[in-house]
Amino acid sequence: MPAITLTTLQSLKQKGEKITMLTCYDATFSHVCNQAGVEVLLVGDSLGMVLQGHDSTLPVTTRDMAYHVASVKRGNQDALILADLPFMANATTEQTLNNSAQLMQAGAHMVKVEGAVWLAESIRLLAERGIPVCAHMGLTPQTVNVLGGYKVQGRNETQARQMRADAIALEQAGAAMLLLECVPSELAKEITHAVKIPVIGIGAGSDTDGQVLVLHDMLGLSLTGRVPKFVKNFMTGQPDIQSAISAYVAEVKAVSFPGTEHGFSA
């Protein structure tokens, strides 16, 4: 397939074709995901849990992220590489710019930042300097200690109204994509229709412009044995990993995944 760019993703949203995204941390899986047609590879700070064995994403550093971005780049052919700014890497605008530059120089095409409307100034500065940004809203794992655990966000009307307003404000600040994690399906649908940029969901229903899962989750691999409600094991009934990832792509494109059982209500 031709190289995936932000223009490609915008076109998919306009056509109503779902965007596929998976986390990826190394060259081998980068190659396999490319072969399956995955459009966006997310080098997530989830690597702190699934690769490093931590109980949260907080210990992950920018140096860790840059190492895995470079690894993914070496196996990549056509996918867009999205990289997380890890915990406290965007505490100030200077840190945000410096750490984002490191990830882009390692091979990322776009960075992802967790938060809400307070991110607007940093997003504006990054966009002005040629660094595309995905804003991660809803359940933001880096703030799990403030949220009181891994809980669905936006279930009451006050939270939902604020999240809708924040999404619009971040688009206006220059965000090129949104990622909504663990928000009620109906709210995710409203936000997807309220903004012109692509919206990717995880635990956010089937009406977002695309889907993302943690690679290890969708392959049935878990250190803890706890499987989030929004996860489906795509290895079931498949002969190999390549087939499982291809099945994920096919089901997202056909809008058969996620099902209603993978989403949340208000």
Side-chain angles (χ1 to χ4, degrees):
M1 63 182 180
I4 301 298
T5 66
L6 287 175
T7 302
T8 311
L9 302 182
Q10 193 67 52
S11 176
L12 290 174
K13 176 181 175 96
Q14 292 168 354
K15 291 189 297 185
E17 180 180 340
K18 299 297 184 181
I19 298 164
T20 58
M21 181 188 297
L22 281 174
T23 64
C24 188
Y25 315 106
D26 63 37
T28 299
F29 274 108
S30 177
H31 176 74
V32 171
C33 288
N34 270 263
Q35 295 299 108
V38 178
E39 284 129 349
V40 184
L41 303 180
L42 169 59
V43 186
D45 59 2
S46 50
L47 66 87
M49 302 170 81
V50 299
L51 297 188
Q52 298 176 336
H54 297 299
D55 60 3
S56 76
T57 64
L58 303 190
V60 178
T61 66
T62 300
R63 183 177 181 181
D64 292 334
M65 294 302 305
Y67 172 88
H68 287 280
V69 169
S71 298
V72 168
K73 177 180 171 55
R74 293 186 196 107
N76 186 53
Q77 290 87 52
D78 303 307
L80 185 145
I81 299 174
L82 171 62
D84 274 344
L85 277 178
F87 179 63
M88 294 299 286
N90 61 329
T92 67
T93 53
E94 183 178 4
Q95 285 178 313
T96 303
L97 293 172
N98 289 338
N99 288 314
S100 296
Q102 289 183 52
L103 297 184
M104 296 293 285
Q105 288 169 340
H109 302 114
M110 186 181 204
V111 299
K112 179 164 73 65
V113 291
E114 293 186 13
V117 71
W118 60 270
L119 290 169
E121 179 62 13
S122 291
I123 289 173
R124 184 183 66 78
L125 289 173
L126 288 169
E128 285 177 352
R129 288 156 177 78
I131 300 179
V133 183
C134 173
H136 182 157
M137 303 176 64
L139 171 57
T140 47
Q142 291 175 13
T143 56
V144 63
N145 292 307
V146 173
L147 298 175
Y150 297 94
K151 300 177 180 179
V152 179
Q153 302 297 304
R155 273 187 155 155
N156 67 59
E157 182 51 39
T158 300
Q159 286 183 342
R161 189 182 310 113
Q162 186 63 57
M163 200 178 297
R164 285 191 292 266
D166 287 356
I168 293 169
L170 293 181
E171 178 186 30
Q172 292 173 343
M177 186 157 62
L178 296 179
L179 190 150
L180 301 178
E181 179 171 357
C182 289
V183 302
S185 300
E186 188 58 35
L187 174 58
K189 179 180 179 180
E190 292 173 8
I191 291 173
T192 301
H193 290 162
V195 298
K196 295 181 175 64
I197 56 178
V199 178
I200 308 299
I202 178 168
S206 61
D207 291 306
T208 53
D209 298 311
Q211 298 294 325
V212 63
L213 284 177
V214 172
L215 179 68
H216 292 61
D217 286 346
M218 59 84 67
L219 294 177
L221 301 172
S222 172
L223 282 172
T224 65
R226 295 191 300 270
V227 180
K229 178 183 179 181
F230 51 77
V231 170
K232 176 178 176 178
N233 183 350
F234 282 87
M235 277 300 298
T236 303
Q238 298 296 335
D240 52 42
I241 288 173
Q242 181 76 70
S243 299
I245 295 175
S246 294
Y248 166 76
V249 171
E251 290 195 24
V252 171
K253 293 289 186 182
V255 203
S256 56
F257 176 81
T260 53
E261 70 272 20
H262 300 114
F264 301 97
S265 57

